[in-house]
Amino acid sequence: MSVQTSIKTFGKPMGRDELAELVARDIKPGSFVNLGIGQPTLVSNYLKPEQNITLHTENGMLGMGPAAVGDQIDGDLINAGKIPVTELPGASYFHHADSFAIMRGGHLDICVLGAFQVSATGDLANWHTGAPDAIPAVGGAMDLATGAKDVFVMMTLLTREGASKIVESCTYPLTGVGCVTRVYTDKAVFLTGPDGVTVRETFGCTFEELQELVPIQLKTAVKY
């Protein structure tokens, strides 16, 4: 049986919007999805009507559409990050407790979250750096990380100091254990799980250059 690496290399690092568009394309049609605050909110702008994606926001809405602009803006219609959004036909609103029941009850197919760190086995740290002057911001991240069937992370690969956010073991307080299945960064897409980290594609660097940035052994995706 012959084995070939299937990693793809693209010419430049991914910008935030380009990465959001990539995540949107990867979401399976018919999915129920929660988008975390920050970079993940951009994904809503790139979902296609034919995908039939239902977006959930933890402040109590199903059927959220793209970000609102101009005359679309309604101060009472916002997502969990307080960004004005639109509503799609069939949108519904409900109590905060019911919203968390959706999250905790396993009714979401995917959540897309930001992160401070992701470990080699898919542990997630995204609510607190542990620094004495840092403000914890857990929100519903623990509920989403535990309740969603798949957890996608969107983040820059490196910190401002140049350290990798993909690590052997998280040094920040954990949000969830072994929950992350995919990590989208400006330099690569990683698949995570109990068997380690596999690189699906790279942006603006080779696999070898990427390995120099990440302090764990990476694998390339393969096809038979």
Side-chain angles (χ1 to χ4, degrees):
M1 181 181 295
S2 62
V3 179
Q4 296 177 318
T5 60
S6 59
I7 187 172
K8 298 178 181 178
T9 300
F10 296 88
K12 62 177 184 178
M14 279 281 190
R16 289 164 60 92
D17 284 282
E18 293 172 308
L19 202 60
E21 186 174 10
L22 176 59
V23 175
R25 289 201 305 267
D26 281 353
I27 295 175
K28 293 181 180 178
S31 295
F32 284 78
V33 180
N34 180 286
L35 302 177
I37 62 174
Q39 189 171 333
T41 62
L42 296 173
V43 173
S44 66
N45 297 332
Y46 297 98
L47 295 170
K48 306 297 184 184
E50 57 268 24
Q51 288 179 270
N52 191 30
I53 304 300
T54 302
L55 290 181
H56 166 273
T57 177
E58 68 184 62
N59 51 321
M61 180 184 180
L62 274 175
M64 182 178 69
V69 295
D71 294 339
Q72 296 176 322
I73 295 176
D74 178 346
D76 292 325
L77 184 56
I78 59 174
N79 63 21
K82 301 181 176 62
I83 297 173
V85 295
T86 55
E87 59 182 2
L88 299 180
S92 60
Y93 304 90
F94 32 83
H95 192 278
H96 208 178
D98 295 318
S99 182
F100 271 72
I102 291 173
M103 294 153 58
R104 295 170 179 172
H107 304 291
L108 295 175
D109 297 300
I110 296 170
C111 69
V112 186
L113 302 172
F116 296 132
Q117 291 178 330
V118 176
S119 80
T121 55
D123 297 342
L124 172 66
N126 79 342
W127 71 279
H128 193 17
T129 63
D133 58 346
I135 301 174
V138 65
M142 290 182 179
D143 305 270
L144 289 166
T146 302
K149 297 180 179 72
D150 274 306
V151 178
F152 293 176
V153 163
M154 290 179 69
M155 65 181 188
T156 57
L157 177 60
L158 304 178
T159 67
R160 293 177 181 176
E161 294 73 30
S164 174
K165 295 181 184 178
I166 294 182
V167 294
E168 182 67 37
S169 179
C170 294
T171 57
Y172 296 152
L174 292 184
T175 306
V177 176
C179 58
V180 178
T181 54
R182 197 173 300 179
V183 182
Y184 294 82
T185 78
D186 53 330
K187 295 186 181 296
V189 175
F190 303 87
L191 310 179
T192 57
D195 296 327
V197 181
T198 299
V199 179
R200 192 182 77 177
E201 54 204 295
T202 65
F203 313 122
C205 63
T206 65
F207 176 82
E208 291 73 20
E209 290 169 335
L210 184 68
Q211 181 65 84
E212 292 180 1
L213 298 174
V214 179
I216 60 173
Q217 186 63 47
L218 301 174
K219 299 182 290 186
T220 57
V222 298
K223 60 182 178 181
Y224 295 89

